[in-house]
Amino acid sequence: MADAAVKEKLADAAERELTDGFHLLIDALKLNGLTTIYGVPGIPITDFGRMAQASGIRVLSFRHEQNAGYAAAIAGFLTKKPGVCLTVSAPGFLNGLTALAHATTNCFPMILMSGSSEREVVDLQQGDYEEMDQLAIAKPLCKAAFRVLHAADIGIGLARAIRAAVSGRPGGVYLDLPAKLFGQVMDAAAGQKSLIKVIDPAPAQIPAADAVKRALDVLKGAKRPLIILGKGAAYAQADDAIKSFVEKSGVPFLPMSMAKGLLPDTHPQCAGAARSTVLKDSDVVMMIGARLNWLLSHGKGKAWGDAPKKFIQIDIEPKEMDSNVEIAAPVVGDIGSCVSALLNAMGGNWPAPPADWIKTVTSKRDENVAKMAPRLMNNNVPMDYHGALGVLRTIVKERPDAILVNEGANTLDLARGIIDVYQPRKRIDVGTWGVMGIGMGYAIGAAIETGKPVLAVEGDSAFGFSGMEIETICRYQLPVCVVIFNNDGIYRGTDVNSAGADPATTVFVKGSRYDKMIEAFGGTGVNATSPDELKRAVNAAIDSGKPTLINAVIDPGAGSESGRIGNLNPQSVLRKK
Ligand SMILES: Cc1ncc(C[n+]2csc(CCOP(=O)(O)OP(=O)(O)O)c2C)c(N)n1
Ligand SMILES: [Mg+2]
């Protein structure tokens, strides 16, 4: 054998016995079943992304880290495994951070892994390439934050990140990966041994028997009971137990936005269309994975009426209890364990709630549904929200396994009320913050994680926050149909600036043709001006499974300021100028 060939063989053998940070991180992720990464490449993680892809991990490249982060966040919600987002240092990290904070606020498990610059230089503030103390910045915005400095600690670092993300109340975790870590070399056998497969990452948290009994006693004593299902209940994937519990109790239920479909919105006990009545008039309210935050008016005030109320709350986080009002019966544990325990303790002959209460709720609901029905069938041109949403409502009814993504103001609030959802985790939206920008990231994450068709119903403003990702949708050929409710602006397209030549702050270019954008990337664009056209276009898009963007032309005057939450705008006694 020639000398050179021998040398090469020796080098190969030596290399086989060594490993490095790149490989250890890949192996650690795979060992824990984290086989999808959402991110944007660049220094120092480009090669890591390539190697991860070559090793069989699915690495999805986005156009902006915030959207990759939202995809990871919703992957966490849909799968109960942490969604993984990968970013470059400083600016990429900051772009991803909004999504990490969002995941934490919404209780979705997510890990933001970010490359970072040289610690020695960063800490002396000597002006490194993309210098930033990322760990310190991430810490207050997520559930936990860790930095790995040695390749031998990658296994531990990832194990800690996974546990922090999914155990207890789920949330976002930051994992800081300095550039040097990737190239660190160590003995391969020792490296393999250092990896950890996390056993039982989200251990069941069984509620105390007396807490379960107390809750059932309170519920049994109710004259006008109500169950509120939150997205924590949807996350739990305890669908059968929740359905059995609600049905056995006979209690009317109100689903929060992302809990719609746990039981179908058309279920006889669903009180979605009688929301104000049940909030006001109920005397016992059981919350399952729902928090008494602003979305439920903090459990007090006008929306909740004057009648005294008792609250039962089921939540994995003990600190959630009494956060806004007194909780008469706290049940702390994971939703699946709590609901199963309640179900078991109910026994065989649980009394139905008083018939007059059920009648009150049902007739209010039926009355509201009947009032809405003709508006949903209108064929007005230009379309109003109701005409357009009436069409989408029928399409979702016919395709209950499609995932509905929804953001905007009027486009959100009206779609939430009008489009019935029939299966769990089929509606994903702006969540706790009412944030704009989740649209395309959620659509991509949902398509990748579930393989189901995605229908994204987007306000024209909302879409703009993540619109460039339609290229990503086309690149990966995802079964995503985006419908843009184009009313020429934020809330309405009719505002005028009385003081000068600039357009008003809430309006966009009139008559924009968003459908043309997706054509640039080989997708299908459709301009829909009537409910009939919209219906044909959406059905064709979902049937084809091809990336499609439909510009649904909505009357610019149809919406209202801030959708349904205009009351949250600050007011002054002085007259508006
Ligand atoms: C990140 C972020 N920025 C700004 C807002 C404020 N905001 C609330 S709704 C909205 C857009 C509403 O317009 P559109 O999406 O077109 O829906 P429409 O009411 O017109 O149907 C904006 C900008 C927000 N919620 N989140
Ligand atoms: Mg709009």
Side-chain angles (χ1 to χ4, degrees):
M1 226 185 275
D3 261 10
V6 172
K7 265 193 194 149
E8 206 172 297
K9 272 214 146 182
L10 282 174
D12 271 2
E15 215 168 85
R16 268 201 302 278
E17 286 154 30
L18 291 177
T19 187
D20 58 21
F22 288 109
H23 290 93
L24 285 168
L25 185 55
I26 290 168
D27 291 348
L29 287 164
K30 284 176 140 180
L31 185 62
N32 286 288
L34 301 180
T35 52
T36 306
I37 296 176
Y38 302 92
V40 176
I43 296 170
I45 46 107
T46 315
D47 273 344
F48 172 74
R50 288 193 184 111
M51 290 157 96
Q53 190 173 49
S55 84
I57 289 181
R58 192 138 196 222
V59 184
L60 293 127
S61 261
F62 282 66
R63 305 301 293 261
H64 190 291
E65 292 88 350
Q66 189 175 107
N67 307 317
Y70 286 139
I74 207 63
F77 170 75
L78 292 170
T79 66
K80 294 185 90 174
K81 287 198 295 192
V84 179
C85 178
L86 179 66
T87 61
V88 303
S89 331
F93 156 78
L94 285 176
N95 284 345
L97 199 53
T98 307
L100 187 70
H102 166 83
T104 308
T105 297
N106 283 276
C107 317
F108 302 158
M110 165 181 172
I111 299 173
L112 174 64
M113 303 194 307
S114 183
S116 60
S117 300
E118 298 307 330
R119 288 250 47 83
E120 295 82 351
V121 187
V122 172
D123 287 350
L124 276 170
Q125 298 171 37
Q126 293 173 311
D128 202 5
Y129 168 70
E130 297 193 342
E131 175 177 297
M132 177 172 280
D133 186 359
Q134 296 170 195
L135 186 71
I137 289 165
K139 233 174 226 174
L141 297 171
C142 59
K143 195 176 163 194
F146 306 103
R147 174 183 292 135
V148 184
L149 286 171
H150 301 294
D153 290 334
I154 285 174
I156 295 277
L158 189 66
R160 301 213 72 191
I162 292 170
R163 281 204 187 274
V166 297
S167 64
R169 170 175 280 177
V173 176
Y174 176 60
L175 195 57
D176 194 78
L177 306 171
K180 268 189 195 161
L181 177 75
F182 292 97
Q184 272 182 32
V185 168
M186 69 180 287
D187 177 73
Q192 278 310 307
K193 244 199 235 159
S194 72
L195 301 183
I196 291 177
K197 180 168 168 49
V198 180
I199 309 295
D200 195 13
Q205 296 191 17
I206 314 290
D210 60 338
V212 171
K213 182 173 181 309
R214 188 188 299 119
L216 288 177
D217 286 347
V218 173
L219 189 63
K220 207 177 238 174
K223 295 204 167 55
R224 297 179 305 280
L226 170 68
I227 292 173
I228 298 181
L229 301 170
K231 65 178 173 297
Y235 173 81
Q237 298 194 15
D239 308 334
D240 292 344
I242 290 170
K243 184 163 182 285
S244 302
F245 173 72
V246 172
E247 288 182 342
K248 192 168 175 181
S249 74
V251 173
F253 70 90
L254 186 67
M256 300 301 287
S257 194
M258 283 176 60
K260 277 162 73 82
L262 264 174
L263 290 88
D265 285 328
T266 49
H267 191 282
Q269 283 168 255
C270 184
R275 188 178 194 272
S276 33
T277 300
V278 290
L279 289 188
K280 221 181 266 144
D281 296 340
S282 53
D283 66 345
V284 168
V285 182
M286 172 184 260
M287 285 158 310
I288 307 182
R291 294 171 286 182
L292 279 175
N293 56 21
W294 72 279
L295 287 156
L296 283 169
S297 311
H298 305 281
K300 53 197 169 193
K302 216 168 108 199
W304 287 90
D306 302 323
K309 272 183 225 295
K310 283 187 179 164
F311 288 96
I312 305 165
Q313 184 158 26
I314 302 173
D315 203 287
I316 200 162
E317 174 56 65
K319 291 202 297 285
E320 188 60 40
M321 306 300 158
D322 305 325
S323 62
N324 285 270
V325 296
E326 179 185 288
I327 302 300
V331 185
V332 174
D334 70 274
I335 301 289
S337 299
C338 290
V339 172
S340 299
L342 287 163
L343 205 46
N344 286 336
M346 280 168 108
N349 53 346
W350 184 263
D356 57 340
W357 170 238
I358 300 299
K359 192 158 167 268
T360 306
V361 176
T362 313
S363 48
K364 188 72 205 170
R365 182 194 68 198
D366 294 349
E367 183 189 317
N368 285 342
V369 169
K371 237 191 272 170
M372 180 73 91
R375 299 185 69 185
L376 301 179
M377 288 179 335
N378 86 63
N379 209 18
N380 293 345
V381 175
M383 290 187 276
D384 58 26
Y385 286 91
H386 290 83
L389 287 168
V391 161
L392 299 183
R393 175 182 201 257
T394 306
I395 290 172
V396 170
K397 185 176 182 184
E398 289 163 354
R399 303 169 185 270
D401 69 334
I403 296 186
L404 180 67
V405 174
N406 190 200
E407 61 176 336
N410 293 280
T411 305
L412 175 90
D413 290 343
L414 293 168
R416 183 177 50 232
I418 290 169
I419 300 180
D420 289 329
V421 182
Y422 298 87
Q423 295 175 11
R425 296 170 297 283
K426 295 296 189 185
R427 183 189 156 85
I428 48 183
D429 65 26
V430 298
T432 311
W433 270 343
V435 68
M436 297 299 111
I438 48 92
M440 298 304 103
Y442 272 24
I444 294 167
I448 292 288
E449 299 292 337
T450 69
K452 301 284 183 204
V454 174
L455 176 63
V457 179
E458 302 271 313
D460 52 338
S461 165
F463 172 73
F465 288 75
S466 67
M468 192 64 214
E469 302 297 346
I470 56 174
E471 187 276 329
T472 313
I473 290 169
C474 289
R475 186 165 15 108
Y476 293 100
Q477 282 297 302
L478 298 174
V480 174
C481 173
V482 182
V483 177
I484 297 182
F485 275 42
N486 185 1
N487 65 344
D488 294 346
I490 298 174
Y491 314 140
R492 269 189 304 256
T494 50
D495 244 3
V496 280
N497 167 15
S498 53
D502 280 346
T505 56
T506 57
V507 301
F508 298 144
V509 169
K510 301 217 178 302
S512 295
R513 289 287 302 274
Y514 291 96
D515 51 307
K516 297 206 182 266
M517 288 173 66
I518 200 165
E519 290 174 356
F521 308 113
T524 305
V526 183
N527 189 50
T529 57
S530 70
D532 285 344
E533 278 176 22
L534 178 61
K535 180 177 170 185
R536 273 198 300 277
V538 176
N539 276 321
I542 301 182
D543 285 340
S544 76
K546 300 234 168 79
T548 304
L549 192 156
I550 300 164
N551 183 58
V553 182
I554 303 286
D555 179 353
S560 52
E561 177 90 2
S562 303
R564 287 268 167 88
I565 53 173
N567 59 311
L568 297 181
N569 286 304
Q571 300 291 332
S572 163
V573 289
L574 300 180
R575 223 161 56 85
K576 268 192 195 167
K577 285 253 167 66

